[in-house]
Amino acid sequence: MAMTKTTKRARPARPDPAGQTRTRAFRVGFLVGAGSGLTVATLIAALAFAVTDPVPAAPPPTGAGPSPVASAPAGVPAVHVAARHLGDLRVRVEAQVSTRTYDPIGRASVAMYADMVAMPMAHRTGPITMTEVPGKTGWYAAEVAVPMVGEYDIQVTVRRPIPGEAHARVEVGTERG
């Protein structure tokens, strides 16, 4: 009696409408890959939500300082900007730089830019280095001469020790505002 070897016959792949053939293994692999990828992304998002420290909504310290522009998330300094028109085309900018617990940051590298709102980047001035106000740790000031009358966006950028930025708007007219 002779034994013959039998082989399993493979089912031919069905053509899809575009004339290309896709095997069942491809479809199963695609679905398993997409499902596991979405599951991993959901788990990472849930873990990030669980371990992220929310920013406390503490008010800035009381005083005659500028009002805050935005709250500071973890690892970013709180930068509070005040800008006022001095007359002619001169603007004085003051900034208070502190940690998120409102400890002042001294000897920081702070610069400012003035950009006309109506014509962005056409009349941009800066970077202008802001100097620390003597006797007031964490307070920086600078003056800028803008090229023409109009509303300006003042951007204060902290480069080091902790990078961050804040914006304020000021209206520059022909007379003192």
Side-chain angles (χ1 to χ4, degrees), residues 108-147:
S109 176
V110 182
M112 65 155 286
Y113 299 86
D115 195 11
M116 192 168 193
V117 175
M119 294 183 269
M121 301 302 286
H123 297 289
R124 185 170 174 93
T125 305
I128 297 169
T129 302
M130 298 182 74
T131 58
E132 192 167 7
V133 176
K136 294 175 92 176
T137 305
W139 284 82
Y140 298 86
E143 287 187 14
V144 60
V146 294

Side-chain angles (χ1 to χ4, degrees), residues 2-151:
M3 293 190 103
T4 60
K5 185 175 178 181
T6 60
T7 59
K8 186 176 178 181
R9 296 178 70 194
R11 196 170 85 189
R14 290 180 286 170
D16 68 353
Q20 300 171 343
T21 59
R22 294 186 185 211
T23 63
R24 181 171 187 238
F26 173 79
R27 287 192 303 267
V28 169
F30 177 76
L31 292 175
V32 168
S36 60
L38 289 172
T39 302
V40 169
T42 303
L43 291 174
I44 290 172
L47 179 66
F49 180 75
V51 300
T52 302
D53 181 28
V55 177
T62 58
S67 61
V69 173
S71 63
V76 176
V79 182
H80 307 282
V81 181
R84 68 174 194 259
H85 178 215
L86 297 176
D88 294 325
L89 296 175
R90 300 205 53 82
V91 175
R92 178 161 176 84
V93 179
E94 295 177 351
Q96 181 185 15
V97 180
S98 59
T99 63
R100 72 179 227 186
T101 57
Y102 297 103
D103 295 324
I105 298 176
R107 298 185 307 188
S109 176
V110 182
M112 65 155 286
Y113 299 86
D115 195 11
M116 192 168 193
V117 175
M119 294 183 269
M121 301 302 286
H123 297 289
R124 185 170 174 93
T125 305
I128 297 169
T129 302
M130 298 182 74
T131 58
E132 192 167 7
V133 176
K136 294 175 92 176
T137 305
W139 284 82
Y140 298 86
E143 287 187 14
V144 60
V146 294
M148 63 188 300
V149 173
E151 184 180 21

